[in-house]
Amino acid sequence: MAALAALAVSAQADQLDDFIKSEMTRQNVPGLTLAVVKDGKVIRTGAYGKADLELDVPMNEDNIFEIGSITKQFTAALILQMMEEGKLSLDDSVTKYIEGSPDLWKPLTLRHLLNHTSGLKEYVVIPGLMLTEEFEQKTFLEKVKPLTLDFEPGITFAYSNTNFALLGLVLEKVSGKSYNDLITERVFKPLGMTSTTILDPDAIIKNRAHGYMNAGGKQYRSRFSMLSIIADGAILSNVKDMAKWDAALIGGKILKPASYQMMIAPGKLKNGRTRNYGFGTFLNSLGAKPLVGHHGNSAGYSAGYYHYPSASLSIILMANVYAINGQQMATQIAESLDPTLKMTVPAEQPDTKKDRTEKVKAALAKLAANTPDEQMMEPEVIAPMKTDRGRMGPGAYGGLKAIDAMTFLGEESYGTDKLLTYRLSTPQRNYIARIVWSTNDKIAELALRLDGPPKA
């Protein structure tokens, strides 16, 4: 029996290796490292590909990467520590801590910033403040303070690095220390994260993997990010140190249990609906098994860290290329290790409301064409699309431009709304769509999940 069990584990490991290598080939990834944590203990690590293509240096598990926006999870934890110590309240206005704040910021609370529900514009698209530019804190504030808000605070969720850039300044004001000193003192040193630091593009850092960019069908060496503002995405780490963070955060060494539950609770909008982002944590999408974590991208790097509470399983991965979808890849790895984590897809059901389905299909077509129909969507869906960040790319719905078939898989109550499930068939691939359909007959939320491999 023991021999059979060993063979099963070996076969599973081989399948995981095969999956990772195939994804690296498909996404043109030079190198990648992985850690799998079960019940707070590392049960598997792996290193694939190259840390440096020019020097032909193999990747190893000690290699260090920029983890990008996973940094936001650390910043959120520090804010909650300050709350536990009575040094701030999450309902404080940001103007209490940022000198010379505009009147427009008075309604903005720290909670809004943590949840990305503030309406603050994205600073990294502003000339002079972009990720590869070097600037002083004074310049950052001078350029950000005069900007209008994208929407009234609390109306919707719209991811903006500006939120966590300001939270970093709040931490420095409250603690009287630099962000670097604070996080080193409270997190890196106590947890023994000896390979983790704040990004310094000019420093010589042992085991730092070189970053690369994929563009126009070619691969290029990346110049290191400048990251003059650090609380939103400037940590360097490796999978071994991130496993220590995972164990400490979930094990109650960083936050009290009540604070951690606040961190992983969905953000609540003014209208009572929620969004799948806590405090520096992405949460499970509609209908998926619970998960908590974050992905990160920077100039030359991608990372993903996700914890699945029902299985006490965490996946940590880092790649030296911009950009891969860290959440999608981590989810696929987790589901291959524990099939119970796969989303349960309902069976096809009779569609008794075909008129509604036609309305949904028409709304999705408009979304895919980047011309959303405001008559078919609630304000919290439309508002993020009108932000600078929302206009940066073709959007997450481009794959729905040609829906060949739309199969009804059921509905259920979702607060006062309905949660609808469909299988969408397109020429390229299939999707499972979960749609919150409001009492106003509008889309209030939408989540897509890939359903099977790409079509030949």
Side-chain angles (χ1 to χ4, degrees), residues 244-300:
K244 296 175 183 177
W245 167 252
D246 169 72
L249 183 63
I250 295 165
K253 294 181 180 178
I254 295 294
L255 297 171
K256 296 176 181 178
S259 299
Y260 180 65
Q261 290 306 309
M262 293 174 67
M263 186 178 190
I264 64 173
K268 185 170 286 189
L269 306 182
K270 270 190 171 183
N271 61 14
R273 294 192 181 99
T274 59
R275 282 299 182 263
N276 299 314
Y277 195 93
F279 296 161
T281 55
F282 282 99
L283 309 174
N284 57 299
S285 58
L286 296 167
K289 296 296 174 68
L291 66 84
V292 180
H294 219 290
H295 50 268
N297 299 112
S298 62

Side-chain angles (χ1 to χ4, degrees), residues 66-82:
E66 294 179 20
I67 66 170
S69 287
I70 298 176
T71 301
K72 292 179 174 66
Q73 197 168 85
F74 291 79
T75 298
L78 290 173
I79 288 286
L80 288 170
Q81 285 185 350
M82 296 297 161

Side-chain angles (χ1 to χ4, degrees), residues 298-320:
S298 62
Y301 300 89
S302 302
Y305 159 55
Y306 285 90
H307 175 69
Y308 300 80
S310 64
S312 190
L313 179 71
S314 298
I315 307 296
I316 304 160
L317 59 89
M318 298 180 184
N320 58 337

Side-chain angles (χ1 to χ4, degrees), residues 13 33 73 77 79 94 101 145 181 190 205-206 241 246 318 326 364 375 385 412 416 423 425:
T33 60
Q73 197 168 85
I79 288 286
V94 67
S101 293
K145 285 178 180 179
D181 288 346
I205 298 177
K206 184 179 180 182
D241 271 10
D246 169 72
M318 298 180 184
L364 293 179
Q375 301 303 311
M385 298 178 186
E412 57 189 279
T416 58
R423 174 175 283 109
S425 176

Side-chain angles (χ1 to χ4, degrees), residues 72 75-76 79 90-95 97-98 101 104-120 140 149 153-154 156-171 232 277-281 294:
K72 292 179 174 66
T75 298
I79 288 286
L90 301 188
D91 296 317
D92 287 340
S93 170
V94 67
T95 59
Y97 304 100
I98 308 294
S101 293
L104 196 65
W105 287 8
K106 286 182 179 178
L108 303 185
T109 66
L110 303 186
R111 191 185 303 274
H112 285 134
L113 271 59
L114 287 162
N115 279 146
H116 290 294
T117 56
S118 68
L120 285 164
F140 166 75
L149 297 179
T156 191
F157 164 91
Y159 192 92
S160 171
N161 285 286
T162 308
N163 292 307
F164 278 76
L166 292 177
L167 287 170
L169 302 184
V170 171
L171 286 169
D232 58 327
Y277 195 93
F279 296 161
T281 55
H294 219 290

Side-chain angles (χ1 to χ4, degrees), residues 55-248:
L55 300 177
D56 197 33
V57 178
M59 191 68 77
N60 69 72
E61 294 154 15
D62 293 316
N63 280 129
I64 293 171
F65 303 74
E66 294 179 20
I67 66 170
S69 287
I70 298 176
T71 301
K72 292 179 174 66
Q73 197 168 85
F74 291 79
T75 298
L78 290 173
I79 288 286
L80 288 170
Q81 285 185 350
M82 296 297 161
M83 179 203 70
E84 290 176 349
E85 295 168 14
K87 295 178 179 177
L88 56 77
S89 166
L90 301 188
D91 296 317
D92 287 340
S93 170
V94 67
T95 59
K96 182 177 179 179
Y97 304 100
I98 308 294
E99 187 176 347
S101 293
D103 289 343
L104 196 65
W105 287 8
K106 286 182 179 178
L108 303 185
T109 66
L110 303 186
R111 191 185 303 274
H112 285 134
L113 271 59
L114 287 162
N115 279 146
H116 290 294
T117 56
S118 68
L120 285 164
K121 290 184 179 296
E122 176 61 83
Y123 81 85
V124 300
V125 301
I126 299 171
L129 300 183
M130 295 181 180
L131 287 180
T132 55
E133 295 181 291
E134 191 169 10
F135 52 89
E136 296 181 353
Q137 183 184 110
K138 178 182 177 182
T139 302
F140 166 75
L141 289 172
E142 285 175 349
K143 286 182 175 289
V144 169
K145 285 178 180 179
L147 300 177
T148 59
L149 297 179
D150 281 328
F151 50 83
E152 180 186 341
I155 291 296
T156 191
F157 164 91
Y159 192 92
S160 171
N161 285 286
T162 308
N163 292 307
F164 278 76
L166 292 177
L167 287 170
L169 302 184
V170 171
L171 286 169
E172 293 186 341
K173 177 73 172 179
V174 169
S175 68
K177 298 177 180 180
S178 71
Y179 183 90
N180 195 346
D181 288 346
L182 184 67
I183 198 168
T184 300
E185 173 189 301
R186 286 177 171 256
V187 179
F188 300 161
K189 283 187 176 179
L191 300 187
M193 297 176 69
T194 55
S195 295
T196 304
T197 185
I198 296 298
L199 173 64
D200 180 347
D202 299 320
I204 296 174
I205 298 177
K206 184 179 180 182
N207 287 321
R208 175 156 49 179
H210 199 98
Y212 298 89
M213 304 285 286
N214 287 327
K218 296 182 179 180
Q219 199 160 69
Y220 302 89
R221 295 177 73 248
S222 172
R223 297 179 180 180
F224 292 121
S225 305
M226 299 309 296
L227 289 172
S228 300
I229 300 296
I230 60 178
D232 58 327
I235 289 178
L236 286 170
S237 191
N238 62 18
V239 291
K240 290 181 177 179
D241 271 10
M242 282 299 298
K244 296 175 183 177
W245 167 252
D246 169 72

